[in-house]
Amino acid sequence: EVQLVESAGGLVQPGGSLRLSCAASGFTFTTFWMTWVRQAPGKGLEWVANVKEDGSQKNYVDSVKGRFTISRDNAKNSLYLQMNSLRAEDTALYYCVRGYTYMLYWGQGTLVTVS
Amino acid sequence: EIVLTQSPGTLSLSPGERATLSCRASQSVSSNYLAWYQQKPGQAPRLLIYAASSRATGIPDRFSGSGSGTDFTLTISRLEPEDFVVYYCQQYGNSPRTFGQGTKVEIK
């Protein structure tokens, strides 16, 4: 069974930093791109970033470029999102998602509040 | 960036009725790489349709997708009580991936 479990988010002040983690299991982690998607409270879905199987290619939505860094540790079957210079508009539920195209498997999400 | 516009924002229907949800792209979606998701309150989105018209595993056949290029449609043939939630389209033919703003299907 595919499982994606995000670490606890938290409350951070504007300008602060936070690192999210996602532990993957139930599939061969090294053969899938991984993605972060976020959802502001009461709002729609926003694709944030993705990373290639070997970590050699990374893509970001414009609003987080230069502030967020996606990475992975294939030895630990883990995905990360380092978030710096956080803004109020980054407040959202952050989902860890398997894949590069359509998104079949999602984590339960972790809430990040910037205030 | 491809902008996806979903309409209507809210659709008010009764159980048993047919629902037609629209997703229009600001430019042609490469290879018709368009997906539809359902999101229930407090849950992660669930994949319904990929490649515009292919149903994901385990999705009831009352859900169907159609369209190509810039115009796509999700049809729910007969609404069940559990279908009154929010639906999103997403394109994955171009980077960055983008989502529509969602359509809420509510009980009339």
Side-chain angles (χ1 to χ4, degrees):
Chain A
E1 178 193 4
V2 172
Q3 287 198 322
L4 300 167
V5 180
E6 297 95 343
S7 61
L11 174 64
V12 61
Q13 292 184 338
S17 298
L18 193 64
R19 188 173 92 146
L20 303 181
S21 301
C22 170
S25 61
F27 64 99
T28 304
F29 187 69
T30 54
T31 63
F32 288 91
W33 281 71
M34 295 296 294
T35 296
W36 288 99
V37 173
R38 68 184 178 182
Q39 186 169 33
K43 302 297 184 182
L45 302 167
E46 182 181 37
W47 176 89
V48 175
N50 62 14
V51 58
K52 196 176 180 179
E53 295 93 333
D54 61 0
S56 63
Q57 187 175 338
K58 303 174 184 182
N59 302 295
Y60 300 91
V61 68
D62 282 349
S63 59
V64 309
K65 282 180 182 175
R67 300 189 299 122
F68 289 13
T69 301
I70 189 172
S71 63
R72 61 193 295 162
D73 185 335
N74 285 346
K76 296 182 178 179
N77 286 354
S78 293
L79 175 71
Y80 305 100
L81 186 67
Q82 176 66 45
M83 303 184 293
N84 298 330
S85 303
L86 283 160
R87 306 166 180 167
E89 55 265 35
D90 296 317
T91 293
L93 190 63
Y94 284 74
Y95 291 103
C96 168
V97 184
R98 191 186 86 172
Y100 177 67
T101 56
Y102 56 84
M103 302 176 190
L104 180 57
Y105 293 105
W106 299 64
Q108 82 286 355
T110 187
L111 182 62
V112 173
T113 303
V114 184
S115 177
Chain B
E1 170 178 321
I2 294 181
V3 176
L4 299 179
T5 302
Q6 292 187 240
S7 61
T10 302
L11 191 55
S12 299
L13 294 167
S14 300
E17 288 195 297
R18 180 184 188 92
T20 302
L21 287 66
S22 172
C23 177
R24 180 161 292 179
S26 59
Q27 57 187 276
S28 184
V29 176
S30 177
S31 302
N32 295 327
Y33 283 161
L34 187 110
W36 289 94
Y37 301 85
Q38 177 192 68
Q39 188 176 31
K40 297 180 177 179
Q43 295 186 17
R46 177 174 72 146
L47 177 70
L48 299 176
I49 301 287
Y50 62 95
S53 60
S54 297
R55 243 185 329 270
T57 301
I59 301 303
D61 61 7
R62 65 180 182 273
F63 292 93
S64 64
S66 63
S68 64
T70 60
D71 289 296
F72 299 87
T73 300
L74 174 70
T75 301
I76 311 171
S77 59
R78 292 176 313 279
L79 285 163
E80 298 286 341
E82 62 268 27
D83 299 336
F84 290 89
V85 290
V86 180
Y87 296 84
Y88 295 94
C89 58
Q90 176 233 343
Q91 65 82 22
Y92 53 95
N94 298 72
S95 285
R97 308 319 194 198
T98 48
F99 289 90
Q101 82 281 14
T103 289
K104 180 180 180 180
V105 178
E106 66 174 22
I107 298 177
K108 187 173 182 181

